[in-house]
Amino acid sequence: MSDRERDLVVRAERPFNAGTPMAALAEPVVPNRLFYVRSHFDVPEIDPQAWRLSVGGAVERPLELSLAELGDLPRREVAVTLECAGNGRTRMRPTPGGTPWDLDAVSTGRFAGASLGHVLDRAGVTDAVVEILFTGADRGEVEPGRTAAFERSLPVADASDPDTILAWEMNGEPLPPDHGRPVRLVVPRWYGVASVKWLERIEAIETPFEGFYQAEDYIYIGDPVAPDRAPVTTVRVRAVIARPEDGARLPAGSVEVAGTAWSGDAAVERVEVSVDGGATWAEAELGESAGPHAAVPWRWEWSPGGAGRHEVVARAADASGAVQPLAPLWNAQGYGNNGVQRVTVEVE
């Protein structure tokens, strides 16, 4: 067993997909060895010295940039919580197909690189452009007889945000191969599918992109909230309980309930905890996040009224008014499930 398999919760061996242990989510930043891995194909072999980023499409000055040339641009570091859109899929009933994520396909890291906006300004995006398309070096069969590269697009406004970066560094180290070495896109507030890894091409386009991972996969089908067949975009509000673990046996006395909470649409405003199945709620204490795009740690001190089995539930609310639902919101591909987490503990 490799070190990465020992440290992570393996969900698939090939391509390698693995989650972050829940206990690690109590901290503001997850170390690289515990950061969840989401891959659609095998990791492409890329020589960082020979690598070039192509920038073209509807631009005035097409570019081809080396890693060194990107490094000459102003450095920007952003703490970002990345969450797979399928996080929590196994808690839906019936369970949709796809990678069987529990609640472990999420992590927060500090990414450093250059603002994408600097590159777009240098290329000179024309007024007719509506989206920026990103192509990764990973590709393979998406259905029998059909292959595709991993590609996603962003509206120009989101692509031009100063905190949307071309990252070559993660938590103070060069990007690990599983996380997109030599360069990946990092898009705050959006589900991780937008943060294309192993980036090799950027293209300014004048019509909305309709590739496989934008119009056929990573879309909402039958979701009670999102328009049908709309692509997944920003992250839905969620809190998770990092400790105590589900099934824990706890000594009598004071118990710390702790975790983390995040949202893509607005700042997390509060986290509430219930120990009676949601009949009553108490507000948790919010800690300091690693940055405006990073999850917020939270904690709540609990004094159980007596021995026995208890169900602990946490829910988050953000400044837009969005609140986690008490039950999963089902859809056919299993995306965007932000139903509350329920942890059962036994107090001695």
Side-chain angles (χ1 to χ4, degrees):
M1 179 182 290
S2 68
D3 288 342
R4 69 176 183 175
E5 291 172 325
R6 186 178 299 110
D7 293 333
L8 296 166
V9 182
V10 177
R11 300 298 179 189
E13 291 285 355
R14 187 169 183 182
F16 185 70
N17 286 277
T20 297
M22 292 302 295
L25 296 179
E27 303 302 323
V29 171
V30 174
N32 290 353
R33 67 182 179 84
L34 298 179
F35 206 100
Y36 89 99
V37 176
R38 175 65 174 113
S39 298
H40 297 83
F41 310 109
D42 289 341
V43 174
E45 294 185 8
I46 302 173
D47 178 359
Q49 297 303 314
W51 174 87
R52 296 293 184 271
L53 176 64
S54 171
V55 184
V59 298
E60 297 170 355
R61 296 171 293 277
L63 305 173
E64 189 170 274
L65 301 171
S66 68
L67 190 56
E69 288 170 325
L70 274 180
D72 289 337
L73 294 172
R75 175 186 170 90
R76 193 169 187 90
E77 182 173 305
V78 186
V80 177
T81 295
L82 292 180
E83 180 182 19
C84 179
N87 197 28
R89 174 181 284 127
T90 59
R91 299 187 174 223
M92 293 176 163
R93 295 294 181 271
T95 303
T99 304
W101 297 113
D102 189 18
L103 294 174
D104 46 13
V106 61
S107 303
T108 300
R110 296 183 185 277
F111 296 90
S115 291
L116 171 62
H118 285 304
V119 173
L120 297 180
D121 287 344
R122 181 175 291 189
V125 174
T126 68
D127 292 341
V129 170
V130 296
E131 291 181 352
I132 308 297
L133 174 62
F134 306 91
T135 303
D138 52 330
R139 61 198 68 217
E141 192 172 71
V142 294
E143 58 185 34
R146 179 186 178 190
T147 61
F150 190 85
E151 297 179 297
R152 283 279 298 198
S153 71
L154 287 174
V156 173
D158 293 281
S160 302
D161 188 294
D163 288 340
T164 298
I165 66 171
L166 302 173
W168 53 80
E169 188 177 289
M170 178 177 174
N171 290 331
E173 302 173 1
L175 277 176
D178 279 329
H179 295 288
R181 183 184 293 176
V183 172
R184 73 174 298 172
L185 183 67
V186 174
V187 185
R189 305 185 302 105
W190 284 53
Y191 280 112
V193 62
S195 294
V196 176
K197 298 190 289 185
W198 308 292
L199 193 61
E200 65 177 16
R201 178 169 174 79
I202 298 172
E203 184 178 359
I205 57 178
E206 298 177 350
T207 57
F209 178 59
E210 295 185 352
F212 180 80
Y213 290 104
Q214 191 107 356
E216 298 176 59
D217 198 3
Y218 288 96
I219 59 176
Y220 290 111
I221 301 174
D223 188 84
V225 177
D228 205 42
R229 303 195 70 81
V232 300
T233 54
T234 53
V235 173
R236 292 174 173 177
V237 63
R238 188 201 292 274
V240 294
I241 301 168
R243 58 177 185 265
E245 295 181 356
D246 191 40
R249 295 184 64 86
L250 306 175
S254 182
V255 175
E256 182 186 63
V257 181
T260 188
W262 60 92
S263 175
D265 291 321
V268 171
E269 201 165 59
R270 69 181 185 276
V271 173
E272 298 171 309
V273 183
S274 173
V275 291
D276 55 14
T280 60
W281 298 87
E283 192 161 338
E285 174 188 350
L286 299 183
E288 289 292 326
S289 71
H293 307 303
V296 179
W298 58 267
R299 63 182 300 277
W300 180 66
E301 205 69 26
W302 174 36
S303 297
R309 182 170 295 181
H310 299 265
E311 183 183 68
V312 184
V313 184
R315 69 180 179 188
D318 68 23
S320 75
V323 182
Q324 274 185 270
L326 296 183
L329 302 180
W330 188 90
N331 57 73
Q333 293 189 336
Y335 295 133
N337 171 26
N338 66 333
V340 298
Q341 179 186 6
R342 300 175 183 273
V343 170
T344 301
V345 298
E346 190 80 25
V347 178
E348 297 176 350

